Amino acid sequence: MDLRYFINQCAEAHELKRVTTEVDWNLELSHVSKLTEEKKGPALLFESVKGYDTPVFTGAFATTKRLAIMLGLPHDLTLCQSAQQWMKKTITSEGLIKAKEVKDGPVLENVLTGDKVDLNMFPVPKFFPLDGGRYIGTMVSVVLKDPETGEVNLGTYRMQMLDDKRCGVQILPGKRGERIMKKYAKMGKKMPAAAIIGCDPLIFMAGTLMHKGASDYDITGTVRGQQSEFLMAPLTGLPVPAGAEIVLEGEIDPNNFLPEGPFAEYTGYYTDELHKPIPKPVLEVQQILHRNNPILWATGQGRPVTDVHMLLAFTRTATLWTELEQMRIPGVQSVCVLPESAGRFWTVVSLKQAYPGHSRQVADAVLGTNTGNYGMKGVITVDEDIQADDLQRVFWALSCRYDPMRGTELIKRGRSTPLDPALDPDSDKLMTSRILMDACIPYEWKQKPVEARMDEETLAKIRARWHEYGIGI
């Protein structure tokens, strides 16, 4: 499985549009893509980018149908249902399908070194007018190796093209990539790195799960049901997908940072970088690997909902649901970290109540997970008859089952993210308040509201004859 296979699957499912009209890499390409994503349109393959022969692929995850395609699931599954399938495959799997190392692959069809290393060879987009430059990727898998444990990490970072041989890498403080980088700094060495641009989309998902003793390639193959293949990049010796489109090999000097940004974040806003670009680690590209006729995979961000928000919502939903399952929280029916909340800040959980206080236990458990503890602002709990990603029904519950005084709990302090534009700009404390909203009918009520329900026997007859009505929905 590689990016090209996924693109072909999208085409077969009528989820891909090939754009043959010439577009400019400077804003035009990204703006066409953003408008298409907001309308839940198809993925786009721009085949004629001004000044380049390389096509650009965008909108990979912008619909639930394309998420299901990527996972190899029935195309009509909702985000919740797809995330549940991911959770079941990863939490109940009896054995991982170990990845296979190969000696050769399409990514080695072209190996460029020395003066041939020039990032300008790719149609790197500029996404928004106030961005600090062109971004060769906003969802790039960067392969690093812990010098002490030997463990390999595939972190997902944005990368700004600073010049023809250098990229700024947004490795945020406290993340695993920074912890690894500090070890190289202590050793007085540069950190080898390999940036993967265009690969099996599942590799992004695998990077969200911490599975003891397993690599991201193992998890990818396990979910796919087919052994993943990787090879050791010739310069750095780091494992990269054999079918990757583009790989940038080089080093990151842990003591040499350069200004990077600003960039339109997934929140739909800029951070303080807009006024003062923040120094970031720099990937010094020493070698480029790429397939023949490579495809540049581009992902924009900005205001929700884009394919990045769908990706973030899916991965966090799957990870949160897995953590709740591992905590053995009873009654959880479905979970959704809402893509409309930038794929991070709000979660809905549907549960089958079994005792008084059950819904509060579930809300507290969400904030107690690794996923829910970072950046989460609100948790809404609803009864089992409502799917967590059915916003129409969620708002019905908030309107007709939720009482603000009875169902609301405020929490004053919680860990936030530096990308949250709602934080006080005059404070250096990355803390946010949180709200729990219980939209469940209280379990202990002896007399509960009587819902107006349709007759099941009549519904069964209607569904059997639906084609006869000619309504067409």
Side-chain angles (χ1 to χ4, degrees):
M1 175 72 172
D2 56 19
L3 181 62
R4 299 183 187 200
Y5 180 75
F6 176 69
I7 290 174
N8 289 335
Q9 284 186 310
C10 289
E12 291 175 4
H14 306 290
E15 285 283 313
L16 178 76
K17 172 64 178 177
R18 297 179 184 273
V19 181
T20 57
T21 301
E22 184 180 82
V23 296
D24 198 322
W25 57 263
N26 187 10
L27 301 180
E28 184 180 8
L29 186 153
S30 65
H31 285 39
V32 171
S33 179
K34 183 75 167 70
L35 291 175
T36 303
E37 290 173 2
E38 288 186 348
K39 294 179 182 295
K40 299 295 181 184
L44 302 177
L45 186 63
F46 295 94
E47 296 183 328
S48 181
V49 182
K50 186 177 180 180
Y52 293 91
D53 295 325
T54 299
V56 178
F57 178 61
T58 69
F61 310 111
T63 65
T64 55
K65 184 175 181 180
R66 293 203 285 279
L67 280 173
I69 290 172
M70 181 268 300
L71 291 163
L73 297 172
H75 297 176
D76 61 345
L77 294 188
T78 66
L79 187 148
C80 273
Q81 291 167 334
S82 291
Q84 184 180 36
Q85 291 301 311
W86 171 280
M87 181 267 293
K88 287 180 177 179
K89 285 184 179 181
T90 55
I91 200 171
T92 62
S93 176
E94 294 182 359
L96 289 164
I97 299 177
K98 301 291 287 185
K100 175 184 178 181
E101 181 181 352
V102 296
K103 299 302 181 182
D104 197 8
V107 73
L108 294 180
E109 289 171 344
N110 299 272
V111 180
L112 308 180
T113 60
D115 292 340
K116 292 183 179 180
V117 174
D118 185 359
L119 299 177
N120 290 298
M121 67 183 294
F122 303 115
V124 178
K126 181 175 181 180
F127 289 92
F128 289 87
L130 297 181
D131 287 356
R134 302 168 70 178
Y135 281 81
I136 196 164
T138 61
M139 297 292 285
V140 179
S141 289
V142 179
V143 188
L144 306 173
K145 187 175 182 179
D146 190 310
E148 296 177 357
T149 66
E151 293 180 348
V152 172
N153 178 59
L154 268 70
T156 302
Y157 309 105
R158 78 180 193 213
M159 292 197 346
Q160 181 184 347
M161 193 172 78
L162 301 178
D163 54 37
D164 60 346
K165 289 182 172 59
R166 295 183 300 176
C167 292
V169 187
Q170 192 189 40
I171 300 177
L172 293 175
K175 297 295 185 179
R176 191 178 177 195
E178 192 211 29
R179 297 198 298 271
I180 293 174
M181 185 170 61
K182 284 182 174 179
K183 293 182 180 181
Y184 282 95
K186 189 175 181 180
M187 296 166 61
K189 295 182 177 181
K190 292 184 177 181
M191 177 172 65
I196 304 164
I197 304 168
C199 59
D200 182 348
L202 260 184
I203 289 176
F204 283 122
M205 309 300 180
T208 67
L209 287 179
M210 299 296 291
H211 197 300
K212 189 69 173 177
S215 73
D216 294 331
Y217 299 119
D218 296 339
I219 296 172
T220 298
T222 301
V223 175
R224 180 79 64 206
Q226 179 180 340
Q227 196 172 35
S228 294
E229 292 185 348
F230 67 91
L231 55 80
M232 294 302 184
L235 179 66
T236 58
L238 294 168
V240 298
E245 294 292 327
I246 301 166
V247 172
L248 309 179
E249 289 192 88
E251 295 178 318
I252 294 175
D253 185 342
N255 297 309
N256 182 26
F257 288 16
L258 289 176
E260 185 270 354
F263 182 69
E265 300 291 352
Y266 67 86
T267 60
Y269 290 88
Y270 288 89
T271 63
D272 289 343
E273 292 174 332
L274 183 62
H275 309 291
K276 184 180 180 181
I278 299 173
K280 304 280 178 61
V282 176
L283 173 62
E284 302 165 1
V285 182
Q286 299 166 339
Q287 184 161 277
I288 297 176
L289 317 175
H290 73 81
R291 298 180 65 153
N292 291 334
N293 304 312
I295 299 171
L296 182 70
W297 183 3
T299 51
Q301 296 190 26
R303 183 184 63 203
V305 175
T306 67
D307 69 330
V308 168
H309 302 102
M310 293 296 292
L311 170 66
L312 295 175
F314 174 84
T315 55
R316 288 177 181 141
T317 294
T319 306
L320 175 58
W321 203 336
T322 300
E323 290 182 281
L324 292 175
E325 191 75 13
Q326 292 170 333
M327 292 167 72
R328 300 187 183 278
I329 302 296
V332 175
Q333 303 299 298
S334 60
V335 178
C336 186
V337 180
L338 300 173
E340 294 82 1
S341 74
R344 176 185 291 281
F345 298 105
W346 279 84
T347 293
V348 180
V349 181
S350 169
L351 72 146
K352 183 177 182 179
Q353 296 185 81
Y355 41 82
H358 191 177
S359 55
R360 175 60 191 267
Q361 178 195 9
V362 169
D364 287 339
V366 168
L367 296 182
T369 63
N370 286 324
T371 305
N373 179 258
Y374 182 59
M376 192 73 66
K377 294 184 181 182
V379 180
I380 301 171
T381 50
V382 294
D383 285 304
E384 62 183 297
D385 62 322
I386 298 175
Q387 183 88 344
D389 59 357
D390 188 346
L391 281 182
Q392 181 171 304
R393 296 287 185 265
V394 170
F395 273 90
W396 172 54
L398 284 171
S399 301
C400 300
R401 300 181 184 180
Y402 166 70
D403 176 80
M405 186 62 73
R406 180 190 69 235
T408 305
E409 293 287 347
L410 291 173
I411 299 170
K412 292 183 178 180
R413 290 170 55 82
R415 184 185 178 203
S416 187
T417 164
L419 301 182
D420 181 4
L423 294 180
D424 183 351
D426 294 325
S427 174
D428 60 356
K429 295 180 174 61
L430 298 180
M431 304 296 291
T432 182
S433 57
R434 291 172 170 159
I435 186 170
L436 308 180
M437 302 174 72
D438 187 354
C440 297
I441 297 172
Y443 177 85
E444 61 274 18
W445 280 8
K446 293 181 180 179
Q447 181 176 326
K448 295 180 171 60
V450 178
E451 182 183 336
R453 295 178 181 271
M454 288 186 279
D455 180 69
E456 292 297 330
E457 183 178 348
T458 302
L459 281 175
K461 291 178 181 178
I462 288 174
R463 291 189 178 108
R465 297 184 56 197
W466 190 255
H467 65 283
E468 299 178 28
Y469 302 128
I471 299 173
I473 58 173

